[in-house]
Amino acid sequence: EVQLVESGGGLVQPGGSLRLSCADSGLTFSSNWMHWVRQVPGKGLVWVSRIESDGTTTNYADSVKGRFTISRDNAKNTLYLQMNSLRVEDTAVYYCARGEGSAGPAQWGQGTLVTVSS
Amino acid sequence: QSALTQPASVSGSPGQSITISCTGTSSDIGNYKYVSWYQQHPGKAPKLMIYEVNNRPSGVSNRFSGSKSGNTASLTISGLQTEDEADYYCSSYTSSSTWVFGGGTQLTVL
């Protein structure tokens, strides 16, 4: 079964930085749009960012715009989320997901927990 | 980017049908066919159940169906089973080239 595996989560202080990775074991990574979605434990899903298949077009939620950067390395089948100027309210489980055009997230990884706390 | 509006909870008995609504605006649900529904069991990743309003991915039971009218989308689950008890989220593409989720609905199978 094709899997998405996130890594890079952990504890970071407010104002700090963290880079999340998402490794895709599938054969079509370079053809897929990719998303990051986050979820505060016990709360709802919140869309964070998306990148088109060739990496040239990206979009962000207003809450992370200017602080987070989504990128991808199609040669390594890996998606990234660089998170800077982290805030306590960025604490969440971060999921990567494979998408099909404008249809949005389809196949999801298992998530990685990011905790922003002093 | 306001969240789509879903009821906080719905419930039903095994074998019954339930419907979960998801209300947006003309900037999202009302203007696009890109409405999806996700099922999430506790501690698990979300699972896509419906995409593009009323399409089921391979492997999803035909007891799950979706529809849309104006700015409101709906998920119907027929023949409720105990394993359907989970949280359900809707999402939509928006005119800002972003996506927005609903607040989630907790389904209890009594």
Side-chain angles (χ1 to χ4, degrees):
Chain A
E1 181 180 332
V2 175
Q3 286 190 330
L4 298 169
V5 179
E6 301 93 338
S7 60
L11 175 64
V12 61
Q13 292 188 336
S17 298
L18 210 57
R19 189 177 84 156
L20 306 183
S21 299
C22 170
D24 187 339
S25 63
L27 301 176
T28 62
F29 178 79
S30 62
S31 302
N32 290 117
W33 292 11
M34 297 296 294
H35 299 260
W36 287 100
V37 177
R38 68 186 182 184
Q39 183 175 37
V40 174
K43 302 297 184 181
L45 300 170
V46 177
W47 180 84
V48 173
S49 182
R50 149 276 199 176
I51 186 168
E52 291 192 1
S53 56
D54 62 1
T56 57
T57 301
T58 59
N59 297 92
Y60 299 91
D62 287 344
S63 58
V64 306
K65 199 174 295 182
R67 300 187 299 121
F68 290 12
T69 302
I70 190 172
S71 63
R72 64 191 298 161
D73 185 336
N74 286 343
K76 295 182 177 180
N77 276 20
T78 302
L79 174 73
Y80 303 101
L81 186 67
Q82 177 67 44
M83 304 186 294
N84 298 331
S85 302
L86 282 162
R87 305 167 179 168
V88 170
E89 54 265 35
D90 294 319
T91 295
V93 174
Y94 285 74
Y95 295 99
C96 69
R98 191 183 300 120
E100 293 289 344
S102 298
Q107 295 83 36
W108 298 60
Q110 86 290 349
T112 186
L113 177 62
V114 172
T115 303
V116 185
S117 175
S118 55
Chain B
Q1 293 179 338
S2 298
L4 306 174
T5 300
Q6 298 180 232
S9 63
V10 298
S11 63
S13 300
Q16 287 186 332
S17 294
I18 63 94
T19 297
I20 300 172
S21 62
C22 172
T23 302
T25 69
S26 58
S27 296
D28 38 67
I29 292 176
N31 206 28
Y32 299 98
K33 68 176 183 178
Y34 301 113
V35 177
S36 299
W37 289 91
Y38 302 89
Q39 176 192 66
Q40 187 179 35
H41 286 108
K44 301 295 186 181
K47 176 185 176 183
L48 180 66
M49 305 302 285
I50 296 287
Y51 67 97
E52 292 182 10
V53 177
N54 56 11
N55 293 283
R56 282 186 309 276
S58 175
V60 172
S61 170
N62 58 10
R63 297 185 298 105
F64 292 82
S65 61
S67 63
K68 189 186 86 162
S69 177
N71 296 340
T72 298
S74 298
L75 172 72
T76 298
I77 309 174
S78 59
L80 270 179
Q81 299 180 359
T82 55
E83 57 261 38
D84 297 334
E85 186 163 293
D87 293 327
Y88 291 84
Y89 296 89
C90 59
S91 80
S92 175
Y93 182 67
T94 82
S95 59
S96 301
S97 300
T98 61
W99 283 260
V100 61
F101 284 91
T105 298
Q106 184 177 53
L107 169 62
T108 301
V109 181
L110 303 170

